């Protein structure tokens, strides 16, 4: 079964880049009728906060990205111990004693010689006596995973195509700190195995992690860890999407803090965010598609490009307006001003950039309206209109047809003074839809009042 996961670290709120990753994993799972897992990567106890876990859940709920299962790394520490023991027994983990400063000096020396700053495996060459001496000094080891240098690491990335890494160019990754806590790299692999993750879809900042993790997967499988006895264990499909950049084409700080809270406060609909992020950076056109099942049906990793995807807030605003114009009454009912019914929503919807503006336009129906400033001729004209008003199925059509006949006015000269008299504004919702909502006696009263002013 297709199984994807979204694995945020609860060290902050979701930003637009994370939302995009969550969305694509959700789409991949939903399209295949598979499972979507929310995995909270909270092994970093110091930086992880419960309030962020709650905010992540709330944001996903607001976006409508439902998950089938929630997992937390902090509840799975025994599995990481077991994996660690298996890798240790297989000789794939070794203790290291360098301080952060010593490692930094090594890095600088390598860079100074024009070499890649790859860890030199000095700890691997230590004798037992040397290790004992370090421990006698009170230095507890941190632990590295021993990369296998024998063969290149290759995989077929579902977005980037064939990938190849020379393990010699990579540092043996630290997987466990001296205080016993875990770094992200191994627990994530253990989880992907235990949870049957079939597709790892994430940002391209994780490409080199994937190279390392492929070796961790293979080493764990070889150690018999998590492999079902009757089937050969398989690596997940890996897919790395190009990063999101701001309009200027740079990785902007702004994108890193732009999230659901801001979108919501700005009146952006979740469907607008979904429609934009579903296709941004792909060869499919970004369109105001309010029905997400259509987006899910067409989702295809093969359409993702390699160039950074440009996130433009103005595109989002435009898409939002186009989506608001399609939203059915049932979807917005709770957010509309008191008394506004389905006909009211339909009349006003085309004028909105955001649902929250409905109240401003609804005032044109409920009144009072701003008294219009009309010329003497227009005042006489709207006085005629007040007398000519007859209520019917289509009072606006009837009124304008009648006035055209009586006065010979047409176009703007016919419509504008009527709109001004009836709404106090010179633009706004379709009068044919608005007038029945205003009602006969109120409409007549407004026409009469405008004739007097
Ligand atoms: N917690 C990691 C992150 O937020 C997850 C990466 C992954 O998807 O494996 O970057």
């Amino acid at each position: 079964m297709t199984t994807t996961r979204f694995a945020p670290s609860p060290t902050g709120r979701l930003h637009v880049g994370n939302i995009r990753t969550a969305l694509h994993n959700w789409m991949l799972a939903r399209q295949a009728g598979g499972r979507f897992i929310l995995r909270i990567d909270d092994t970093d106890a110091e930086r992880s906060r419960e309030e962020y876990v709650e905010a992540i859940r709330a944001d996903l709920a607001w976006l409508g990205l439902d998950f089938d299962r929630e997992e937390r790394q902090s509840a799975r520490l025994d599995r990481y111990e077991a994996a660690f023991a298996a890798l240790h027994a297989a000789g794939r983990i070794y203790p290291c004693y360098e301080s952060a400063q010593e490692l930094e000096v090594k890095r600088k020396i390598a860079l100074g010689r024009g070499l890649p700053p790859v860890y030199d495996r000095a700890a691997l060459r230590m004798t037992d006596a040397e290790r004992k001496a370090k421990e006698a000094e009170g230095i507890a080891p941190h632990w590295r995973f021993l990369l296998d240098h024998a063969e290149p690491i290759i995989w077929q990335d579902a977005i980037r195509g064939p990938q190849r890494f020379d393990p010699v160019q990579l540092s043996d990754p630290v997987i466990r700190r001296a205080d016993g806590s875990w770094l992200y790299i191994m627990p994530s692999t253990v989880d992907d195995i235990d949870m049957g993750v079939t597709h790892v879809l994430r940002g391209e900042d994780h490409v080199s992690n994937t190279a390392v993790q492929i070796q961790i997967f293979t080493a764990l499988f070889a150690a018999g860890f998590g492999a079902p006895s009757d089937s050969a264990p398989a690596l997940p499909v890996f897919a790395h999407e190009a990063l999101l950049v701001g309009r200027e084409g740079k990785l902007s700080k702004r994108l890193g803090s732009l999230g659901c809270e801001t979108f919501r406060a700005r009146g952006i609909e979740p469907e607008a965010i979904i429609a934009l992020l579903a296709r941004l950076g792909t060869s499919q056109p970004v369109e105001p598609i309010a029905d997400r099942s259509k987006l899910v049906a067409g989702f295809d990793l093969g359409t993702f490009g390699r160039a950074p995807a440009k996130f433009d807030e103005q595109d989002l605003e435009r898409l939002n307006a186009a989506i608001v114009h399609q939203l059915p009454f049932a979807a917005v009912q709770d957010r509309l001003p008191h008394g506004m019914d389905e006909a009211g929503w339909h009349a006003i919807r085309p004028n909105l950039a955001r649902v929250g503006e409905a109240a401003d336009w609804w005032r044109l129906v409920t009144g009072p309206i701003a008294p219009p400033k009309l010329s003497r001729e227009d005042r006489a004209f709207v006085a005629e209109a007040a007398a000519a008003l007859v209520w019917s199925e289509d009072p606006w059509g009837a009124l304008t047809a009648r006035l055209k006949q009586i006065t010979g006015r047409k176009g703007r000269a016919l419509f504008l003074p009527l709109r001004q008299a009836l709404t106090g504004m010179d633009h706004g919702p379709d009068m044919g839809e608005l007038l029945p909502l205003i009602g006969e006696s109120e409409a007549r009263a407004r026409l009469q009042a405008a004739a007097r002013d």
Side-chain angles (χ1 to χ4, degrees):
M1 183 192 279
T2 296
T3 302
T4 64
R5 83 308 193 269
F6 171 53
S9 308
T11 53
R13 291 199 66 130
L14 299 185
H15 56 70
V16 44
N18 308 134
I19 294 171
R20 177 170 172 251
T21 308
L23 171 65
H24 292 161
N25 278 287
W26 179 85
M27 291 174 88
L28 200 58
R30 293 290 169 260
Q31 185 185 49
R35 276 180 309 182
F36 174 58
I37 301 174
L38 170 63
R39 190 184 84 201
I40 303 292
D41 279 5
D42 59 350
T43 51
D44 186 341
E46 228 156 80
R47 291 176 58 229
S48 297
R49 298 256 181 290
E50 202 51 35
E51 66 194 83
Y52 291 130
V53 177
E54 275 154 31
I56 288 166
R57 284 194 206 115
D59 286 349
L60 292 178
W62 182 71
L63 291 161
L65 303 181
D66 57 322
F67 44 86
D68 305 296
R69 196 163 137 190
E70 182 179 321
E71 296 282 354
R72 285 179 89 117
Q73 292 196 322
S74 57
R76 294 178 38 79
L77 300 178
D78 53 340
R79 286 302 285 161
Y80 310 145
E81 280 306 339
F84 183 84
L87 292 175
H88 196 231
R92 296 299 297 272
I93 289 179
Y94 62 97
C96 302
Y97 299 87
E98 293 94 342
S99 66
Q101 290 89 323
E102 281 171 289
L103 290 172
E104 189 49 29
V105 171
K106 283 182 195 247
R107 240 177 65 84
K108 287 205 172 124
I109 293 175
L111 288 171
R113 291 194 189 137
L115 298 170
V118 174
Y119 177 61
D120 62 5
R121 292 185 162 175
L124 200 53
R125 294 184 294 270
M126 287 171 84
T127 62
D128 275 348
E130 284 168 329
R131 282 194 208 102
K132 283 218 176 77
K134 287 284 182 192
E135 283 174 31
E137 277 176 56
I139 303 176
H142 57 273
W143 301 83
R144 287 187 190 258
F145 175 76
L146 182 67
L147 288 171
D148 178 359
H149 284 179
E151 280 171 31
I153 303 165
I154 52 173
W155 77 93
Q156 183 65 26
D157 194 285
I159 294 175
R160 295 163 63 87
Q163 301 294 298
R164 184 189 177 94
F165 273 80
D166 178 358
V168 177
Q169 306 285 325
L170 301 170
S171 292
D172 289 339
V174 176
I175 61 170
R176 192 172 201 177
R177 298 187 189 88
D179 65 2
S181 65
W182 301 101
L183 281 110
Y184 148 81
I185 203 100
M186 190 200 76
S188 178
T189 311
V190 172
D191 292 346
D192 289 339
I193 293 174
D194 282 353
M195 295 166 200
V197 170
T198 58
H199 292 72
V200 173
L201 169 56
R202 54 191 177 187
E204 66 182 9
D205 49 331
H206 284 288
V207 171
S208 61
N209 285 339
T210 294
V212 168
Q213 286 175 329
I214 283 177
Q215 284 215 356
I216 300 179
F217 270 107
T218 316
L220 284 169
F221 290 154
F225 186 88
S229 52
D230 52 349
S231 67
L235 290 175
V237 171
F238 291 98
H240 295 89
E241 44 190 34
L243 297 182
L244 216 50
V245 293
R247 198 148 60 116
E248 337 67 53
K250 278 191 263 148
L251 271 174
S252 73
K253 261 205 182 149
R254 172 150 184 76
L255 286 190
S257 61
L258 202 55
C260 293
E261 218 174 10
T262 315
F263 292 138
R264 200 173 175 163
R266 258 204 249 151
I268 302 289
E269 299 296 315
E271 296 312 323
I273 300 165
I274 302 287
L276 179 62
L277 295 180
R279 291 189 172 177
L280 196 66
T282 76
S283 58
Q284 301 194 62
V286 170
E287 290 165 344
I289 299 174
D291 175 359
R292 62 175 76 187
S293 66
K294 287 199 183 120
L295 295 165
V296 169
F299 184 73
D300 178 3
L301 289 176
T303 64
F304 280 68
R306 295 282 304 268
K310 277 193 192 165
F311 179 84
D312 183 342
E313 293 183 54
Q314 283 169 10
D315 287 346
L316 183 61
E317 297 278 346
R318 273 192 293 273
L319 215 51
N320 194 57
I323 296 253
V324 167
H325 302 165
Q326 302 170 45
L327 290 177
F329 180 62
V332 293
Q333 202 168 3
D334 303 345
R335 292 185 282 155
L336 296 183
H338 183 70
M340 187 167 176
D341 58 5
E342 187 157 5
W345 170 243
H346 282 256
I348 280 167
R349 180 173 77 163
N351 289 79
L352 305 178
R354 40 187 67 83
V355 175
E357 293 163 1
D360 298 337
W361 291 107
W362 189 240
R363 256 174 240 126
L364 304 189
V365 171
T366 58
I369 57 161
K373 290 266 164 292
L374 298 183
S375 67
R376 182 199 294 256
E377 300 83 64
D378 282 350
R379 286 208 300 275
F381 171 65
V382 297
E384 270 187 277
L389 184 67
V390 192
W391 216 245
S392 64
E393 267 289 287
D394 173 19
W396 176 252
L399 177 67
T400 50
R402 189 110 192 267
L403 288 170
K404 194 170 175 182
Q405 226 173 32
I406 306 173
T407 65
R409 285 193 184 217
K410 53 183 192 225
R412 193 179 157 85
L414 173 66
F415 298 119
L416 186 60
L418 293 175
R419 174 183 286 283
Q420 289 169 326
L422 288 164
T423 69
M425 295 190 58
D426 46 20
H427 68 283
D430 182 86
M431 288 303 301
E433 290 186 57
L434 206 56
L435 188 52
L437 298 169
I438 295 171
E440 181 176 6
S441 62
E442 174 70 11
R444 183 167 290 111
R446 289 186 190 178
L447 290 167
Q448 285 165 345
R452 273 196 305 273
D453 280 343

